[in-house]
Amino acid sequence: MSHANHAPAAGPTRRTGRWERYRVTHPFSPKDQAALWGAIAGVLALAVLLGWALDMKGGVVVVAATPFIVSWFEKRRTAFQFDAAGARFGGTLLPWSDVTQFVVATPPDGPHTLIGARLRPGATLPTGMNVPPHRPDMPAPVHVPVLRSKFDLAKMVGKARRYAPPHIQIVVVEPSGERIAT
């Protein structure tokens, strides 16, 4: 059964066993694959070691560690995400109260789309957040590049209408100027 909140800012919405969110990931690289297989091998080695040293069933370790590996791997590959907590740029969370607009720019000369956020006046960036260098085609101070093939503006707008606070706008930057995404 679906338990949808009808008020957009009423809190997190749960549907079909998952928290609703919009997420764009980095491509799956050989480095990511090596990290995943390394984590799996480490958990299996720990399971064997605990099984030998404590006469414990190794399957318990594997089952207990699986959610942590999946969560770590998801966070590692996330380029941009918004959910009930706010908007994530890489591993840094911006709370909804600090974000006024999402800005989307697609430079004509590259394979990436830029997703950014404009902040409310007086908002400060979280400690440790890496601010990318200024780009003339991205007017927002905080942004991340994502592959065009991984980005879907219509899906982002739909999810924002349903699950983001009502004050959030999505602005598309084009050579002719800016427009509100519909």
Side-chain angles (χ1 to χ4, degrees):
M1 181 190 316
S2 176
H3 300 289
N5 292 337
H6 296 290
T13 300
R14 194 163 171 92
R15 192 178 98 196
T16 62
R18 292 187 64 176
W19 290 105
E20 284 298 322
R21 65 180 181 194
Y22 176 76
R23 180 172 176 248
V24 182
T25 60
H26 294 294
F28 192 71
S29 69
K31 184 178 177 182
D32 291 332
Q33 189 172 13
L36 179 60
W37 281 108
I40 291 170
V43 166
L44 291 177
L46 181 64
V48 169
L49 179 66
L50 289 175
W52 172 75
L54 301 175
D55 196 27
M56 182 179 172
K57 299 288 183 195
V60 172
V61 175
V62 172
V63 169
T66 299
F68 295 105
I69 292 173
V70 169
S71 174
W72 166 78
F73 191 67
E74 262 193 12
K75 285 180 186 174
R76 178 183 171 96
R77 290 197 54 226
T78 298
F80 172 76
Q81 173 178 311
F82 67 80
D83 56 20
R88 290 187 190 279
F89 289 85
T92 306
L93 175 68
L94 291 174
W96 283 121
S97 59
D98 289 349
V99 178
T100 59
Q101 292 180 330
F102 290 132
V103 180
V104 177
T106 306
D109 59 346
H112 292 94
T113 294
L114 301 172
I115 304 173
R118 287 190 175 132
L119 306 178
R120 70 171 169 75
T124 58
L125 295 176
T127 307
M129 182 171 199
N130 295 329
V131 179
H134 176 71
R135 293 182 60 150
D137 46 4
M138 172 48 75
V142 177
H143 62 274
V144 293
V146 298
L147 287 177
R148 287 184 192 193
S149 60
K150 296 252 182 190
F151 179 70
D152 183 354
L153 180 62
K155 185 176 178 182
M156 181 182 183
V157 169
K159 292 271 185 168
R161 281 189 185 140
R162 290 182 65 189
Y163 303 110
H167 73 274
I168 299 294
Q169 293 181 327
I170 299 176
V171 176
V172 178
V173 177
E174 298 171 334
S176 60
E178 296 182 2
R179 65 175 174 85
I180 303 292
T182 56

